[in-house]
Amino acid sequence: MLGTLLARNGAAGAAALSTASDAQQFFEALYSEEQYNIVVIDDRPRWADWHAVAAASRKYRPYALVVLLVSVEHTVEQCEHLLGDDVAAVYPRNSAGMLALARLLATLSSQQRHFSLRRDATAVEVDAEEVVREEREKLIYAVSHDLQDPLQLARRYAGILTDDYENALGDDGTKVLDHLQFNLNRTQEMLDELLDYSRLQSARPEKTPVDMNELLSEVVSLYRLTLDEIGGSVTQQHALPTLVVDRRQMLRVMQNLIGNAIKFRSERPLQVTVRAQKVRNEWRIGVKDNGIGIADDDTKRIFGMFERAGGADEHPGTGMGLAICKRIIANHGGKIWVRSSPGSGSVFIFSIPQTDDAASSPPHD
Ligand code: ADP
């Protein structure tokens, strides 16, 4: 928990040195050239005589704040005498203490940012944008991660009500409970996708050469039963190239696009065509369907988080699929967009830059 907190804030500008690492690592970092504006001393590791560590921190890091984490049995009053020249703050090692530490780190990182903003006028815009982006990412992660526990608890209680008290609830009560469970499950689905989305932010694509023909066959085999049931087809206009991409992430993109073509099909028998085109140094892959299409106003919006076009409520889904596709494609340095008109179908196109021509083979008819 402490490690995650420090790592998260480290990225945001509050450089923290912590005794959560082992003694050698800690002292190497303390004596290093690295900039730290906070030193967190946990009084728990056996190697840490915190008096000595605090004194050493003060000596080698005179400008860093020294924070001591103490076991929860100590009351605040008992800890106050620990404050002094060497220790600036004492927090209990529980959630309240972690929260206080998180606030302190956030304040330090924002001061650090203001400092760097003032220092370099040309960096102002870039830094401000970066700050907003980072804050948004932190919020997305915090919401999707920290709400998991209370939500799971709520689902467990709803489960207990169903299992043990259904008879006592009567018809109306059971209906309300069904409704509650449906919405809790939906919230769980949305949170899981949000967490996934957040994790993709830091996941560097593990790129390998991927034969897109073979990847498409895998996606089609996943939907084989549904396609047979609805009499739909997925065809390739020509052979697809081999792209240097993260296979798992690319599978996800293709699965989302073909899944959507199936979900948003029209009365006509579904026909999906996949094609590829090399434009300068990038490959463009297009997934075309003859489904319900998308109104002009919605074509940009649907790539945002939880955004769905008009009429989508009749179909299952959370509105996160295309946001996830957009993030994956952006992680590969590409773009994704759609051309569509209501009633006549859509074509979703994404680009993947391929600088090394040797790595990607052209499609052969
Ligand atoms: P979801 O499928 O869960 O609704 P997505 O992010 O994958 O979420 O898609 C967002 C919205 O874009 C969908 O709700 C739908 O309105 C629209 N959409 C996506 N793909 C298609 C498609 N092939 N044809 C028509 N509309 C689509």
Side-chain angles (χ1 to χ4, degrees):
M1 168 96 184
L2 177 62
T4 318
L5 184 68
L6 297 180
R8 235 195 274 166
N9 280 278
L17 175 61
S18 146
T19 58
S21 47
D22 70 27
Q24 191 183 346
Q25 260 179 356
F26 176 84
F27 283 105
E28 268 173 14
L30 188 71
Y31 304 143
S32 72
E33 299 284 303
E34 290 289 320
Q35 300 277 339
Y36 291 106
N37 50 14
I38 183 163
V39 179
V40 181
I41 302 176
D42 189 335
D43 71 353
R44 198 171 36 175
R46 257 182 294 135
W47 63 266
D49 166 1
W50 72 262
H51 289 282
V53 176
S57 307
R58 195 33 67 241
K59 183 168 172 204
Y60 291 98
R61 299 287 165 169
Y63 302 111
L65 271 183
V66 177
V67 174
L68 180 62
L69 285 184
V70 295
S71 55
V72 279
E73 298 87 61
H74 293 100
T75 61
V76 175
E77 292 75 39
Q78 278 176 321
C79 293
E80 262 168 0
H81 74 279
L82 302 174
L83 293 171
D85 286 347
D86 287 338
V87 177
V90 181
Y91 296 137
R93 202 186 307 102
N94 59 11
S95 49
M98 290 297 160
L99 205 65
L101 179 60
R103 280 204 207 103
L104 181 67
L105 286 166
T107 312
L108 284 177
S109 33
S110 80
Q111 281 171 356
Q112 179 75 18
R113 277 187 221 117
H114 289 315
F115 182 61
S116 68
L117 287 178
R118 259 185 278 127
R119 228 179 3 194
D120 184 356
T122 56
V124 168
E125 266 175 43
V126 179
D127 275 6
E129 236 174 64
E130 183 69 2
V131 169
V132 171
R133 203 183 53 76
E134 270 174 17
E135 289 302 321
R136 187 166 159 262
E137 286 305 327
K138 268 201 273 178
L139 184 69
I140 292 174
Y141 180 79
V143 168
S144 52
H145 182 263
D146 299 353
L147 288 184
Q148 292 282 352
D149 284 350
L151 180 64
Q152 269 167 27
L153 205 63
R155 290 179 68 202
R156 216 170 303 142
Y157 281 126
I160 293 173
L161 275 178
T162 313
D163 293 344
D164 300 348
Y165 299 93
E166 205 170 5
N167 293 339
L169 288 174
D171 282 353
D172 285 351
T174 306
K175 253 189 232 156
V176 173
L177 187 57
D178 283 349
H179 201 61
L180 175 70
Q181 273 183 318
F182 173 84
N183 280 290
L184 286 175
N185 291 341
R186 185 165 164 75
T187 311
Q188 181 73 62
E189 210 184 315
M190 290 168 87
L191 270 191
D192 289 346
E193 294 208 335
L194 198 57
L195 190 58
D196 247 20
Y197 177 81
S198 168
R199 287 191 176 131
L200 276 170
Q201 169 68 12
S202 46
R204 284 173 66 89
E206 284 174 29
K207 294 187 188 173
T208 52
V210 173
D211 177 348
M212 292 296 286
N213 303 289
E214 182 262 325
L215 186 127
L216 180 64
S217 308
E218 186 173 337
V219 176
V220 172
S221 69
L222 291 173
Y223 289 114
R224 188 74 274 156
L225 280 180
T226 317
L227 287 169
D228 289 348
E229 216 173 278
I230 62 173
S233 69
V234 178
T235 49
Q236 288 171 225
Q237 204 171 42
H238 41 231
L240 302 173
T242 291
L243 298 181
V244 182
V245 286
D246 184 309
R247 192 177 191 287
R248 236 158 34 99
Q249 294 189 7
M250 188 50 60
L251 188 75
R252 192 141 182 215
V253 170
M254 292 302 282
Q255 207 178 326
N256 254 309
L257 296 182
I258 292 178
N260 276 348
I262 295 175
K263 192 159 52 168
F264 300 104
R265 64 185 181 277
S266 64
E267 306 282 286
R268 295 182 290 265
L270 175 70
Q271 279 178 359
V272 181
T273 316
V274 181
R275 60 189 179 199
Q277 192 188 8
K278 179 106 196 229
V279 180
R280 287 179 294 277
N281 65 344
E282 66 183 29
W283 275 103
R284 291 186 183 174
I285 308 287
V287 178
K288 184 172 184 289
D289 65 48
N290 60 344
I292 60 173
I294 302 161
D296 231 16
D297 285 354
D298 291 330
T299 50
K300 287 221 167 66
R301 196 172 58 78
I302 52 172
F303 292 96
M305 282 189 287
F306 299 119
E307 293 285 1
R308 312 190 80 198
D313 288 350
E314 296 149 30
H315 305 277
T318 59
M320 279 301 287
L322 288 178
I324 287 175
C325 290
K326 186 174 172 188
R327 177 156 279 188
I328 291 176
I329 298 299
N331 284 352
H332 285 80
K335 288 198 166 61
I336 181 166
W337 65 98
V338 63
R339 280 203 302 264
S340 181
S341 58
S344 48
S346 316
V347 49
F348 282 85
I349 302 162
F350 63 85
S351 62
I352 300 283
Q354 298 285 284
T355 40
D356 180 8
D357 266 349
S360 63
S361 65
H364 32 85
D365 289 286

